[in-house]
Amino acid sequence: MIRRLIHILVSMVVIALLWQIAYLAAGQQDYLLPSPLKTLTTAVLKADLLARHALTTGAEILLGLLGGGLVGVASALLLASFAPLRRWLVPVLVISQAIPVFAIAPLLVLWLGYGMASKVAMASLIIYFPITTAFLDGLSRTASGWLDLAQVMGGSRWTVLRHIRIPAALPSLGAGLKVAVGVAPIGAVIGEWVGSSTGLGYLMLHANARMQVDLMFAALLVLAGLAITLFWLTDRLLACLLPWRATTNE
């Protein structure tokens, strides 16, 4: 734990130094790239504003993870249980990923309005595929020896799925969930860019239009911090719930 915190602090210092070098190389033009100190100062002065918009974006991300995760898990279980269905639907899932998310966002806003629902739907859509494919891959790669032993012992299809295939696939689901946590903010922010009245994406869009570049970068920092925190919490939760997953020494 201490080593990980040290690694994070060192990474933050390196990023800040590179940022400062880029700021100096750009001629110290704040309207193009504000300095790290000015961005941090703006973040402190606008803490209330940033916190209010971060709560909205955070809620959209969490609800998107919940909705997309539940639908993804259900889809993977359905596809793993019925081979004919898998042969027809898996290609459709792959083709659906070729549609740019920017093309879907305006439609979601049109159908669901400018409120939180369209942003949650956007976040759910963007995380649905990684969760579904990761869990389905885990369900499809159950050790053959375990399945043979269950068949010898007379295990039913439901029993094998519940007690063998699902527990064996949970580490794969955890890996897919970690990917989903990383991309869920993208869906929420894109939805806010298309149409919203609150959220970090909305704040960045309007700060950019007003040439408040320091505020835009402060919102980006808050969004990055939100994503990193959520990823770390997910990793810790998976470590507690899935102690049998493969790990390597840090």
Side-chain angles (χ1 to χ4, degrees), residues 59-72 97 101 104 108 112 116-132 180 183-188:
E60 293 167 355
I61 293 172
L62 291 176
L63 291 174
L65 285 170
L66 179 62
L70 290 176
V71 176
Q97 296 307 296
V101 289
I104 301 175
L108 293 177
L112 302 177
M116 187 177 290
S118 58
K119 287 71 182 175
V120 172
M122 190 67 191
S124 299
L125 284 175
I126 206 169
I127 71 169
Y128 168 76
F129 186 75
I131 288 182
T132 303
V183 300
I186 299 175

Side-chain angles (χ1 to χ4, degrees), residues 19-40:
W19 186 350
Q20 182 66 26
I21 293 172
Y23 170 71
L24 295 174
Q28 303 182 33
Q29 303 181 61
D30 290 336
Y31 67 93
L32 292 178
L33 178 66
S35 67
L37 180 59
K38 184 174 183 179
T39 302
L40 184 61

Side-chain angles (χ1 to χ4, degrees), residues 12-232:
M12 291 175 63
V13 171
V14 172
I15 291 173
L17 288 175
L18 293 175
W19 186 350
Q20 182 66 26
I21 293 172
Y23 170 71
L24 295 174
Q28 303 182 33
Q29 303 181 61
D30 290 336
Y31 67 93
L32 292 178
L33 178 66
S35 67
L37 180 59
K38 184 174 183 179
T39 302
L40 184 61
T41 302
T42 301
V44 173
L45 294 176
K46 301 287 186 179
D48 292 341
L49 177 66
L50 291 168
R52 185 168 68 251
H53 288 283
L55 285 175
T56 300
T57 302
E60 293 167 355
I61 293 172
L62 291 176
L63 291 174
L65 285 170
L66 179 62
L70 290 176
V71 176
V73 168
S75 299
L77 289 173
L78 187 64
L79 293 172
S81 300
F82 300 99
L85 192 64
R86 183 165 63 249
R87 286 193 293 268
W88 284 99
L89 291 185
V90 168
V92 175
L93 289 176
V94 175
I95 293 172
S96 68
Q97 296 307 296
I99 302 176
V101 289
F102 272 110
I104 301 175
L107 293 175
L108 293 177
V109 172
L110 178 64
W111 295 336
L112 302 177
Y114 285 87
M116 187 177 290
S118 58
K119 287 71 182 175
V120 172
M122 190 67 191
S124 299
L125 284 175
I126 206 169
I127 71 169
Y128 168 76
F129 186 75
I131 288 182
T132 303
T133 53
F135 194 32
L136 179 60
D137 184 67
L139 291 169
S140 303
R141 295 181 180 273
T142 308
S144 59
W146 297 353
L147 298 177
D148 293 339
L149 180 60
Q151 185 177 10
V152 170
M153 297 180 66
S156 65
R157 187 176 183 180
W158 165 246
T159 301
V160 172
L161 178 65
R162 179 182 177 186
H163 294 287
I164 297 179
R165 296 183 67 187
I166 290 180
L170 288 180
S172 296
L173 175 61
L177 182 60
K178 290 170 70 174
V179 173
V181 167
V183 300
I186 299 175
V189 170
I190 288 176
E192 291 170 355
W193 283 349
V194 173
S196 66
S197 59
T198 184
L200 290 174
Y202 166 84
L203 182 61
M204 284 187 286
L205 195 65
H206 282 259
N208 183 52
R210 294 177 173 87
M211 293 299 294
Q212 297 174 324
V213 185
D214 54 341
L215 179 58
M216 185 179 68
F217 271 80
L220 279 172
L221 287 180
V222 173
L223 181 63
L226 186 65
I228 292 172
T229 301
L230 188 56
F231 183 88
W232 181 82

